[in-house]
Amino acid sequence: MTIETVSENRSHSGTQGVYKHPSTETGTDMTFSVFVPPQADDRPCPVLWYLSGLTCTHANVTEKGEYRAACAKAGIIFVAPDTSPRGEGVADDDAYDMGQGAGFYVDATQEPWSPHFRMRSYVERELPALIAEHFPADMDRQGITGHSMGGHGALTIGLRNPETFRSISAFAPIVSPLNCPWGEKALSGYLGEDRADWREYDACALIADGARADALLIDQGTADQFLEEQLKPQLLAEACKDAGIPLTLNMRSGYDHSYYFISSFMADHVAWHARRLKA
C-alpha cells in the first residue's frame, strides 16, 4: 500500500506528518495525520487513535488538539484519520450532520451511502494495516479516543475490538445514537430503519449485549450545548454500572464542546492511555 506525503514538520523532537492514500474501502483518496515521537528512532511505539467529530477532518485535532508534547513525553504515536470519504461522486447532504464530514464510523448499507461510506472498515482494518507498514508502530499496543461523533466511534470500535484496543477514552461522546436526534438521523440513513441493526454502533447497547472493557475514561463539559439532547453521558454511566465496567466520568465545570475543552484535558488522556499501553 502506497502513501503520499502531504507535509512533514519537526515538533517536540518528533515528526508531525500529513499523508494521503487511495482507499480500497471508501473508493476515494483519504487523508490522515500521524505524529511520531522521538522514541520511535530507537523502537516501535504504542499507537493512540483519535477520531474527530461532525464537520471535522484530520486537521482539527492536528492543529488545535495540543497532544504532541504529551505524546513526545510518553512515546506515543498519534493517528488522526478523516471523518468520512470525500470528493466528486461521493454522496452528500445539505445538513452538517449527514454525509461528507459525518460518516459516524459505520459501514453504510443503504443507498446512496453504501458505495463509499465504510469508515468502520477503514478505521478497523485498512488504515491500521497502512500504519503498520509505513510507521514504527507497535500494533500490539493500541488505544483509541475521540470527540463527539468521534467519541461514539472510539467507544464502539474499542468495545467491538477488545483484542486490539487496550484502552478507550472519549471527549463529550455521543454515547447512545439509539437515543438522540443525531444518531437516529444518521443510523436510519446509513443502515435503514431496523433499529436492531443499529446496536453494534451504540456503546450503551454494545455493553448491554455483553461487550466489556477494563476501564473507560470520559471527559464532558457541563456547559456543552449538546449535553442534554445529544450526548447523555448518564446513559453510559448506567450501562457501565450495570455491567461492572469501571468508568471515570469527569464533568468539567464551565467547559463547552470546542477544542478549548479538548486541548485542556488532552494531556490527561494521553497519560491515561500511556499507562495502560505500557503496562
Side-chain angles (χ1 to χ4, degrees):
M1 294 182 285
T2 60
I3 64 172
E4 173 188 340
T5 299
V6 177
S7 65
E8 287 186 336
N9 298 92
R10 194 71 168 164
S11 181
H12 293 279
S13 299
T15 301
Q16 176 64 64
V18 177
Y19 308 93
K20 183 167 68 174
H21 75 108
S23 167
T24 57
E25 287 292 348
T26 68
T28 67
D29 285 346
M30 295 294 291
T31 302
F32 62 97
S33 74
V34 181
F35 175 72
V36 178
Q39 294 88 336
D41 291 342
D42 301 318
R43 62 183 184 277
C45 290
V47 178
L48 178 58
W49 294 83
Y50 179 93
L51 305 184
S52 292
L54 288 167
T55 75
C56 293
T57 70
H58 70 283
N60 296 75
V61 69
T62 305
E63 296 169 1
K64 297 183 287 189
E66 299 184 23
Y67 56 84
R68 278 173 286 270
C71 287
K73 179 180 179 180
I76 298 289
I77 292 174
F78 192 96
V79 181
D82 201 349
T83 52
S84 78
R86 300 175 191 271
E88 186 176 352
V90 177
D92 202 4
D93 190 275
D94 291 336
Y96 74 96
D97 54 358
M98 193 77 183
Q100 296 185 39
F104 269 83
Y105 303 98
V106 306
D107 281 353
T109 60
Q110 305 298 304
E111 295 290 343
W113 313 106
S114 55
H116 300 290
F117 281 74
R118 296 186 51 80
M119 290 303 294
R120 172 182 178 173
S121 291
Y122 179 72
V123 172
E124 289 184 352
R125 294 197 298 269
E126 184 176 14
L127 189 53
L130 200 71
I131 297 299
E133 180 178 350
H134 291 278
F135 297 90
D138 183 348
M139 303 304 283
D140 291 327
R141 295 187 291 164
Q142 297 184 69
I144 191 166
T145 188
H147 170 231
S148 193
M149 178 188 71
H152 139 76
L155 290 172
T156 55
I157 289 172
L159 287 166
R160 286 196 307 263
N161 298 278
E163 72 287 349
T164 300
F165 297 102
R166 293 191 187 183
S167 53
I168 308 168
S169 76
F171 298 89
I174 303 169
V175 304
S176 185
L178 280 158
N179 293 289
C180 75
W182 276 342
E184 290 181 356
K185 177 180 178 178
L187 297 188
S188 62
Y190 292 136
L191 304 175
E193 297 299 332
D194 188 347
R195 294 172 70 90
D197 294 335
W198 304 5
R199 294 185 67 83
E200 61 186 314
Y201 296 107
D202 183 297
C204 295
L206 283 167
I207 291 170
D209 292 344
R212 294 294 181 265
D214 292 338
L216 297 175
L217 170 64
I218 305 294
D219 272 79
Q220 172 65 62
T222 62
D224 191 319
Q225 66 269 40
F226 304 114
L227 176 59
E228 299 299 327
E229 184 180 25
Q230 304 283 11
L231 306 179
K232 303 182 180 182
Q234 71 277 7
L235 297 180
L236 182 64
E238 293 167 5
C240 287
K241 181 179 179 181
D242 291 343
I245 297 174
L247 168 66
T248 300
L249 174 57
N250 297 316
M251 299 300 296
R252 303 295 190 177
S253 180
Y255 284 88
D256 58 19
H257 201 68
S258 72
Y259 270 85
Y260 294 109
F261 156 63
I262 297 166
S263 63
S264 297
F265 303 104
M266 178 65 83
D268 294 344
H269 280 242
V270 171
W272 187 86
H273 284 276
R275 289 193 294 273
R276 284 154 180 79
L277 296 177
K278 293 182 178 181

